[in-house]
C-alpha cells in the first residue's frame, strides 16, 4: 500500500496511491508473510550486519561527493554511487540523487539530519527542497545540515518506470469493485499490464529496490557525509526505512524520529486489512465533522457517521454505473475508482476536509466531478499535462519486493471481502481488491515479516497518531515495543503523522530530542 506524509505546509494533500495503486501504496514495504497467512506477527528478528565494513564496499564508503548548485537557492546537489546488488558489489552501480542545505547557525553544528517523507516512492529530495529544508523549526535547521537522498528507484535516483501517462490514466480508472467475472478479469488484466510494464522498463533495478537495500544506501551516505551516527526523521513508510537502518546498524544510531510508524512484524494481508480499518476510523471522524456544516452533502446534524458512509457508498455505486463529467481536457470522467481515491486522499489531513466537502457537493449536487478528480490527481502525483511522477511505479516495486503478495488470486480476495468490508463498509471492498496487485509481479519478493529490536541502539523516538488513517496507531505501539530502545510519543488527533502539523506539544518534544538527545518520559501524550 501506500503511506506518505502530507505536511500541511507543502500542499493540500498527498498520499501514495489508492485503490488500484492505493492498496499497494498504503501498505508500505514492510515485512511480509505468505499470501495465505493472516497471522499478525512473526518471531523472526532483523539481524544486524557486522560492524566492520566489507572490503568490497570500501570504495563506496570512501567516495567523495561533488556538490553543486541545483537550481534551488540555498541547496546543493550531488550524485552518490551504491552497489546495485550488495551481494555482488562489483556487478554494477546505482546512482542516487542527494541534496543538502547546510546548517545556518547560530550554535554548534550537530551533523547531518537525513529526512524521508515516506511512500514508498515519495521523493525525499523534493520533500527537503520544498518543505523540510525551509519549513522545519529554525532551531533544528540552525544546528543540522538538512539532507535527503531519493531511495533507489525513486524520483531522481534511477526511477522505476511502468506505464506512461495515458496508460496510467487507464490504470487508475480501472474498476476495483468488480461486480462479475468479466469485470474481475479486467482488473486482473490491468494488474498484469502494470506489472509487465515495470518488468520491461526496469528489469535489473526491479530486483534491487528493497527497503533493506535502501537502508544500506543510507549508511553509505552517513559515512560519506562524515557522520559517525545517523540522525534521521522518517515519516510514514520512512519509519520502516529508519527502523530497518536501526536493525541493521544499531551501533550507528544517533537520534531517530519515526513518525506515523509501520509495524514490520505484520504480513501483507494483515497490513492491508488493518490499514483499511484505519481509513474507516479517519472517515468516521470526517463524517462527524461533515454533518456539523451546512454544506455537507452527505447528511445533516441528525445523520449518524454510519449513515454518512452509506450515503457516500451509494454515490460511489452511482458513479460505477455512470461516471460524471469532470472538465478534464484529456476526456476523463469521474467514475467510482477516481472518486474513491479522491476521498481517501483527503483522509490524510483534516485540513483537506473543507476541500472534500466542496468537491463532494459539486459532484453530488451539480454533476461536476472536477473537484474529486483534482484530489485524486494530487494523490497520484499527476500533473496538468497528464504526466505522472514515478510514485506509483516505485511504490509497487518496493512493496512487492519487500513482502509476499497479500493474495495469490481473485478467489482469495473474495474469501477476504467480509473481513475487509467489516473493517470499512465504505472502502473495504475496493482496498481488498487493490491488495491483489503484487500477485502478478514479475520479480519474486526478497523480504519477509520480522520484528526489529535494534539491541544496543541509542534511544529511538516512535510517534503515533491515534486516528491516523494510513498507519494505524497500534502499529506505532507495536514498533515502539519491539525496539529495545524505543519510546512512544502519542498524538491524540486526526491525520497522517504528527510532526510539523500544529501541535506545539509534539513539535517541542521532537525538537528537544533532536537538539539535546533527550526522549520524552514514558507514556507522553499530546493533543
Amino acid at each position: 500500500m501506500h503511506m506518505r506524509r502530507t505536511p500541511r505546509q507543502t500542499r493540500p494533500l498527498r498520499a501514495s496511491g489508492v485503490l488500484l495503486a492505493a492498496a499497494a501504496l498504503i501498505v508500505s514495504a514492510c515485512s511480509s508473510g505468505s499470501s495465505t497467512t493472516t497471522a499478525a506477527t512473526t518471531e523472526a528478528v532483523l539481524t544486524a550486519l557486522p560492524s566492520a565494513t566489507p572490503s568490497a564496499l570500501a570504495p563506496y564508503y570512501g567516495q567523495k561527493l561533488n556538490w553543486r548548485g541545483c537550481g534551488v537557492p540555498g541547496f546543493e546537489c550531488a550524485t552518490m554511487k551504491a552497489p546495485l546488488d550488495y551481494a555482488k558489489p562489483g556487478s554494477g552501480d546505482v546512482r542516487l540523487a542527494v541534496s543538502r542545505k547546510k546548517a545556518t547557525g547560530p550554535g554548534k553544528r550537530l551533523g547531518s539530519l537525513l529526512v524521508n517523507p515516506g511512500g514508498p516512492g515519495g521523493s525525499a529530495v523534493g520533500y527537503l527542497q520544498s518543505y523540510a529544508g525551509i519549513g522545519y523549526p529554525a532551531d533544528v535547521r540552525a544546528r543540522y545540515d538538512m539532507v535527503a537522498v531519493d531511495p533507489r528507484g525513486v524520483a531522481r535516483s534511477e526511477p522505476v518506470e511502468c506505464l506512461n501517462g495515458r496508460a496510467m490514466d487507464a490504470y487508475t480508472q480501472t474498476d476495483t469493485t468488480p461486480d462479475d467475472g468479466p469485470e474481475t478479469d479486467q482488473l486482473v488484466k490491468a494488474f498484469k499490464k502494470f506489472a509487465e510494464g515495470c518488468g520491461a522498463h526496469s528489469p535489473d533495478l526491479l530486483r534491487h529496490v528493497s527497503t533493506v537495500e535502501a537502508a544500506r544506501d543510507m549508511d553509505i551516505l552517513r559515512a560519506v557525509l562524515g557522520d559517525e551516527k545517523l540522525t534521521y526523521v522518517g515519516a510514514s513508510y520512512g519509519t520502516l526505512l529508519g527502523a530497518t537502518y536501526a536493525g541493521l546498524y544499531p551501533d550507528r544510531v544517533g537520534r531517530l524520529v519515526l513518525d506515523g510508524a509501520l509495524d514490520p512484524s505484520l504480513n501483507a494481508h494483515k497490513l492491508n486489512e488493518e490499514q483499511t480499518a484505519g481509513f474507516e476510523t479517519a472517515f468516521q471522524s470526517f463524517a462527524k465533522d461533515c454533518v456539523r456544516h451546512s454544506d455537507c452533502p452527505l447528511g445533516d446534524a441528525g445523520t449518524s457517521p454510519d449513515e454518512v458512509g452509506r450515503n457516500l457508498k451509494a454515490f460511489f455505486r452511482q458513479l460505477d454505473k455512470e461516471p460524471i463529467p469532470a472538465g478534464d481536457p484529456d476526456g476523463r470522467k469521474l467514475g467510482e475508482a477516481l472518486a474513491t481515491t479522491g476521498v481517501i486522499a483527503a483522509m490524510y489531513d483534516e485540513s483537506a476536509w473543507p476541500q472534500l466537502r466542496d468537491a463532494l457537493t459539486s459532484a453530488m449536487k451539480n454533476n461536476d466531478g472536477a473537484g474529486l478528480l483534482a484530489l485524486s490527481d494530487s494523490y497520484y502525483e499527476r500533473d496538468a499535462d497528464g504526466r505522472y511522477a514515478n510514485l506509483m511505479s516505485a511504490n509497487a516495486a518496493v512493496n512487492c519486493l519487500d513482502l509476499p503478495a497479500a493474495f495469490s488470486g481473485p478467489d482469495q480476495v473474495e474469501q477476504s471481502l467480509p473481513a475487509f468490508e467489516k473493517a470499512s463498509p465504505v472502502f473495504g471492498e475496493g482496498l481488498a481488491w487493490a491488495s491483489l496487485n503484487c500477485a502478478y509481479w514479475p520479480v519474486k519478493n526478497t523480504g519477509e515479516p520480522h520484528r526489529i529490536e535494534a539491541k544496543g541502539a541509542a534511544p529511538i523516538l516512535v510517534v503515533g497518531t491515534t486516528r491516523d488513517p494510513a498507519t494505524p496507531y497500534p502499529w506505532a505501539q507495536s514498533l515502539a515495543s519491539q525496539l529495545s530502545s524505543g519510546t512512544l510519543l502519542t498524538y491524540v488527533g486526526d491525520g497522517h503523522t504528527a510532526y510539523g502539523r500544529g501541535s506545539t506539544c509534539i513539535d517541542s518534544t521532537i525538537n528537544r530530542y533532536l537538539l539535546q538527545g533527550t526522549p520524552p518520559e514514558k507514556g507522553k501524550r499530546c493533543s
Side-chain angles (χ1 to χ4, degrees):
M1 276 197 196
H2 174 114
M3 320 173 176
R4 294 171 18 183
R5 185 174 189 191
T6 64
R8 297 178 186 175
Q9 296 91 333
T10 49
R11 44 176 266 176
L13 33 122
R14 132 186 160 145
S16 350
V18 177
L19 296 192
L20 227 154
L25 291 177
I26 297 171
V27 162
S28 90
C30 238
S31 46
S32 22
S34 79
S35 60
T36 57
T37 299
T38 57
T41 60
T42 176
E43 295 306 314
V45 177
L46 182 63
T47 303
L49 292 171
S51 296
T53 300
S55 58
L57 297 180
Y60 297 102
Y61 276 81
Q63 68 186 293
K64 303 295 183 184
L65 297 185
N66 179 26
W67 293 103
R68 62 193 183 278
C70 43
V72 183
F75 291 88
E76 299 175 298
C77 291
T79 301
M80 185 185 84
K81 291 183 180 180
L84 176 65
D85 184 352
Y86 275 92
K88 300 175 182 178
S91 63
D93 298 337
V94 60
R95 298 168 65 86
L96 306 176
V98 182
S99 184
R100 76 176 176 188
K101 185 179 184 184
K102 287 188 174 181
T104 56
K108 181 182 177 182
R109 179 181 173 277
L110 294 174
S112 305
L113 172 56
L114 191 65
V115 297
N116 183 282
S123 172
V125 170
Y127 173 72
L128 174 76
Q129 294 177 352
S130 66
Y131 171 61
I134 55 178
Y136 265 37
D139 289 350
V140 173
R141 292 183 286 112
R143 306 287 297 282
Y144 285 102
D145 291 349
M146 301 293 295
V147 181
V149 55
D150 278 348
R152 50 178 61 205
V154 173
R156 300 164 177 84
S157 293
E158 300 192 17
V160 171
E161 301 290 353
C162 298
L163 300 177
N164 61 23
R166 286 303 175 94
M168 273 299 293
D169 279 347
Y171 182 67
T172 59
Q173 293 176 79
T174 304
D175 184 1
T176 51
T177 57
D179 300 316
D180 51 34
E183 287 191 357
T184 300
D185 292 342
Q186 282 298 112
L187 179 57
V188 168
K189 183 179 178 181
F191 282 135
K192 288 181 176 179
K193 182 177 180 179
F194 184 85
E196 289 167 359
C198 294
H201 295 154
S202 310
D204 296 326
L205 183 62
L206 213 58
R207 293 176 172 82
H208 297 289
V209 292
S210 69
T211 297
V212 167
E213 288 164 310
R216 297 190 71 173
D217 296 342
M218 285 164 51
D219 194 56
I220 293 177
L221 179 58
R222 172 204 57 78
V224 170
L225 292 171
D227 293 315
E228 291 186 8
K229 309 274 189 180
L230 179 76
T231 299
Y232 173 84
V233 176
S236 196
Y237 164 77
T239 66
L240 182 65
L241 259 181
T244 299
Y245 180 92
L248 296 174
Y249 308 103
D251 58 332
R252 298 174 192 170
V253 168
R255 299 166 188 177
L256 266 57
V257 177
L258 308 179
D259 182 15
L262 278 133
D263 182 354
S265 72
L266 300 180
N267 63 43
H269 182 125
K270 199 67 177 176
L271 283 167
N272 280 273
E273 187 179 320
E274 291 189 5
Q275 188 180 55
T276 298
F279 278 103
E280 181 66 22
T281 297
F283 179 77
Q284 291 276 322
S285 289
F286 165 74
K288 292 173 185 176
D289 178 78
C290 186
V291 297
R292 297 189 187 108
H293 298 269
S294 60
D295 63 344
C296 179
L298 297 169
D300 54 30
T303 309
S304 70
D306 288 346
E307 185 63 23
V308 169
R310 286 191 288 272
N311 292 340
L312 180 60
K313 188 69 174 177
F315 173 60
F316 286 160
R317 289 300 187 196
Q318 291 177 20
L319 294 177
D320 186 33
K321 296 176 181 176
E322 187 174 357
I324 63 174
D328 180 57
D330 294 318
R332 293 177 300 160
K333 290 189 173 183
L334 183 77
E336 181 182 17
L338 292 176
T340 306
T341 301
V343 173
I344 283 181
M347 295 300 100
Y348 278 73
D349 190 339
E350 67 273 22
S351 70
W353 291 355
Q355 182 182 359
L356 177 58
R357 291 199 309 272
D358 289 345
L360 285 169
T361 298
S362 294
M364 298 175 73
K365 303 292 180 65
N366 303 321
N367 210 46
D368 178 4
L372 283 173
L373 182 62
L375 285 168
S376 177
D377 285 350
S378 174
Y379 194 72
Y380 285 129
E381 293 194 352
R382 180 192 192 273
D383 67 20
D385 295 323
R387 294 187 298 257
Y388 288 79
N390 93 305
L391 170 66
M392 299 307 303
S393 300
N395 184 276
V398 175
N399 283 324
C400 297
L401 196 61
D402 268 6
L403 43 112
F407 300 114
S408 63
D411 289 348
Q412 286 191 354
V413 178
E414 291 176 351
Q415 292 169 12
S416 296
L417 281 176
F420 273 75
E421 291 182 302
K422 181 179 179 181
S424 175
V426 179
F427 306 118
E429 182 184 6
L431 289 176
W433 282 106
S435 305
L436 183 61
N437 72 322
C438 288
Y440 309 103
W441 204 244
V443 173
K444 180 175 172 53
N445 66 286
T446 56
E448 295 290 342
H450 52 261
R451 293 169 53 81
I452 299 179
E453 296 179 354
K455 291 182 178 178
I460 297 172
L461 183 56
V462 179
V463 187
T465 298
T466 56
R467 295 187 293 277
D468 190 314
T471 52
Y473 179 65
W475 293 359
Q477 293 175 300
S478 178
L479 180 60
S481 67
Q482 291 172 44
L483 292 167
S484 61
S485 60
T487 297
L488 178 64
L489 172 63
T490 298
Y491 175 59
V492 181
D494 296 292
H496 182 39
T497 75
Y499 188 40
R501 287 172 42 86
S503 169
T504 301
C505 174
I506 288 288
D507 292 355
S508 62
T509 302
I510 293 176
N511 294 343
R512 186 182 310 112
Y513 170 73
L514 289 173
L515 295 172
Q516 302 173 16
T518 306
E521 66 274 14
K522 185 177 180 179
K524 184 172 179 66
R525 297 169 71 87
C526 297
S527 58

